[in-house]
């Protein structure tokens, strides 16, 4: 048989079925894991919804009231803002133990520049924001340029800033009445407004806007992709053309700026400028980040998850308080959530690998 005829025969007898591949999925568990891997904020969202349902069933209208639900937002606004800053750092596989101290000293600078030096409040606020940014940039420079471990750098900076805070302020509190009379701008983020029966503050509005802006920047900008790349594998990121050092410095500087805004919101929340306020912000911010599903190993997670994590802490705190439970139960349950969150993160990474 001629070669051409043989070829035509083979083609005619060939199967016309389109190539297909077997589904290697693992059923419901596999799809659930895939959803967790692609949407890190899903776990804290599920926990938040379950917490709301449980406390809603236990407490009824006492918990599900506009006042109670908006009170949660008011209580977590400072932690949420600081946790947003902490999230950026942890996404780069770092950690910032100085976030709380930066927030407090920024608020002290705003107050002291206004009442000690007589500067206009708007200038004092700008100086406080610049001061927080400068401390954050210094942290970033030490980590990126000097190659020092983030934990050591920020631990040392926490002690330095904390001591400077007390020395500079002479441990004096600027009273709420004096601020309201002479510099109400310092209390701006504590201003309340109503939406129906719900009461919000400008600090809460700032937190929501901050989360939206950071979520967009991390997902849809080159800088955001660089942040994830640096956290996932800095060597590979550098080989692919990412300015790793520059990215780290901008992340820490931005974190410092956000913490300074938290200091401004702190004045609005408590009314006064106190050097002893915000002592637990470091731990509380890390708690919100971890519960929110951001991996401590860097490169995975979302700001939205951190927001949910802060809300989870707020829901547990208020829910247990309204139920009349001992405050220690709050710490116990949050501790369980932290360990569970890290375990889930390890499971997701292990299965993904």
């Amino acid at each position: 048989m001629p070669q051409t005829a043989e070829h035509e025969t083979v083609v005619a007898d060939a199967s016309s079925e389109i190539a297909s591949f077997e589904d290697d999925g693992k059923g419901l568990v596999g799809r659930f894991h895939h959803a967790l891997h692609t949407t890190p904020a899903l776990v804290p969202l599920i926990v938040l919804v379950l917490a709301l349902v449980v406390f809603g069933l236990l407490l009824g209208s006492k918990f599900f009231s506009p006042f109670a639900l908006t009170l949660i937002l008011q209580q977590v606004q400072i932690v949420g803002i600081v946790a947003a800053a902490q999230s950026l750092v942890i996404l780069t596989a770092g950690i910032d133990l100085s976030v709380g101290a930066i927030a407090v000293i920024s608020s002290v600078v705003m107050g002291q520049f206004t009442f000690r030096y007589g500067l206009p409040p708007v200038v004092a606020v700008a100086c406080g924001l610049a001061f927080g940014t400068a401390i954050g940039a210094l942290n970033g420079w030490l980590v990126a340029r000097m190659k020092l471990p983030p934990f050591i750098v920020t631990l040392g900076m926490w002690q330095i800033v904390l001591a400077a805070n007390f020395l500079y302020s002479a441990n004096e509190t600027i009273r709420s009445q004096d601020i309201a009379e002479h510099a109400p701008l310092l209390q701006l983020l504590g201003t309340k407004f109503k939406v129906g029966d719900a009461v919000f503050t400008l600090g809460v509005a700032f937190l929501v806007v901050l989360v939206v802006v950071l979520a967009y920047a991390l997902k849809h900008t080159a800088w955001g992709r660089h942040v994830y790349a640096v956290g996932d594998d800095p060597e590979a990121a550098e080989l692919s053309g990412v300015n790793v050092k520059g990215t780290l410095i901008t992340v820490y500087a931005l974190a410092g700026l956000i913490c300074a805004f938290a200091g401004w919101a702190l004045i609005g929340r408590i009314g006064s400028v106190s050097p002893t306020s915000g002592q637990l912000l470091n731990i509380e911010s890390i708690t919100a980040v971890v519960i929110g599903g951001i991996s401590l190993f860097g490169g995975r997670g979302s700001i939205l998850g951190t927001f949910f994590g802060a809300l989870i802490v707020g829901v547990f705190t208020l829910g247990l308080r309204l139920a009349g439970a001992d405050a220690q139960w709050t710490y116990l349950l949050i501790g369980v959530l932290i360990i569970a969150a890290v375990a889930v993160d390890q499971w997701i990474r292990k299965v993904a690998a």
Side-chain angles (χ1 to χ4, degrees):
M1 179 182 295
Q3 186 173 0
T4 303
E6 183 180 356
H7 174 72
E8 292 176 352
T9 302
V10 171
V11 171
D13 295 338
S15 174
S16 59
E17 183 180 354
I18 299 175
S20 60
F21 301 91
E22 292 185 4
D23 184 9
D24 293 330
K26 299 178 181 179
L28 183 61
V29 174
R31 289 193 295 272
F32 180 63
H33 168 263
H34 179 72
L36 296 182
H37 184 70
T38 56
T39 313
L42 187 59
V43 174
L45 177 60
I46 293 172
V47 174
L48 177 60
V49 171
L50 289 176
L52 288 171
V53 170
V54 170
F55 284 115
L57 292 174
L58 291 176
L59 301 172
S61 59
K62 188 173 168 183
F63 181 79
F64 271 129
S65 66
F67 173 77
L69 295 179
T70 53
L71 181 61
I72 293 172
L73 284 170
Q74 293 182 38
Q75 289 178 337
V76 305
Q77 61 180 310
I78 310 300
V79 173
I81 295 171
V82 175
Q86 187 74 262
S87 298
L88 295 177
V89 176
I90 291 181
L91 282 174
T92 64
I95 195 167
D96 193 343
L97 299 178
S98 65
V99 287
I102 293 175
V104 175
I105 200 169
S106 297
S107 69
V108 168
V109 166
M110 293 175 190
Q112 293 294 334
F113 276 32
T114 300
F115 288 90
R116 182 185 295 184
Y117 306 129
L119 293 178
V122 65
V123 176
V125 169
C127 289
L129 297 178
F131 196 78
T133 305
I135 298 175
L138 179 58
N139 281 338
W141 183 81
L142 291 171
V143 170
R145 296 290 181 181
M146 301 300 291
K147 302 292 186 182
L148 299 179
F151 182 89
I152 300 302
V153 168
T154 58
L155 177 63
M157 190 61 70
W158 170 52
Q159 297 282 0
I160 293 170
V161 173
L162 194 63
N165 173 38
F166 288 112
L167 291 172
Y168 177 65
S169 66
N171 205 15
E172 295 179 351
T173 297
I174 301 175
R175 297 186 310 164
S176 176
Q177 299 92 321
D178 295 333
I179 296 175
E181 182 179 354
H182 300 289
L185 179 66
L186 298 183
Q187 298 175 336
L188 176 66
L189 294 182
T191 304
K192 295 183 179 180
F193 63 94
K194 285 186 125 183
V195 178
D197 294 331
V199 180
F200 299 93
T201 64
L202 290 181
V204 171
F206 175 80
L207 169 60
V208 173
V209 171
L210 176 66
V211 169
V212 171
V213 170
L214 289 179
Y216 177 84
L218 287 170
K219 189 172 183 180
H220 298 288
T221 68
W223 175 81
R225 290 189 288 272
H226 292 174
V227 170
Y228 281 103
V230 170
D232 189 49
D233 191 333
E235 289 80 12
E238 190 165 13
L239 290 174
S240 62
V242 175
N243 183 354
V244 174
K245 294 178 181 177
T247 300
L248 285 173
I249 292 174
T250 57
V251 163
Y252 280 90
L254 181 57
L257 175 61
I258 295 172
C259 289
F261 272 106
W264 189 11
L266 185 61
I267 300 175
R269 176 65 182 161
I270 65 176
S272 60
V273 175
S274 174
T276 60
S277 59
Q279 296 296 317
L280 297 177
L281 283 175
N282 297 338
I283 300 301
E284 290 173 342
S285 67
I286 295 173
T287 299
V289 170
V290 173
I291 293 177
I294 291 185
S295 174
L296 289 174
F297 302 99
R300 202 187 75 83
S302 72
I303 292 291
L304 191 60
T306 295
F307 180 62
F308 292 149
L311 289 178
I312 289 169
V313 175
V315 167
F316 272 85
T317 302
L318 182 63
L320 291 173
R321 185 181 304 168
L322 291 176
D326 191 299
Q328 301 306 319
W329 282 103
T330 303
Y331 295 110
L332 187 150
L333 291 175
I334 291 175
V336 171
L337 284 175
I338 291 173
I339 296 174
V342 175
V344 169
D345 175 65
Q346 290 287 69
W347 175 69
I348 292 173
R349 283 178 172 269
K350 182 178 178 181
V351 177

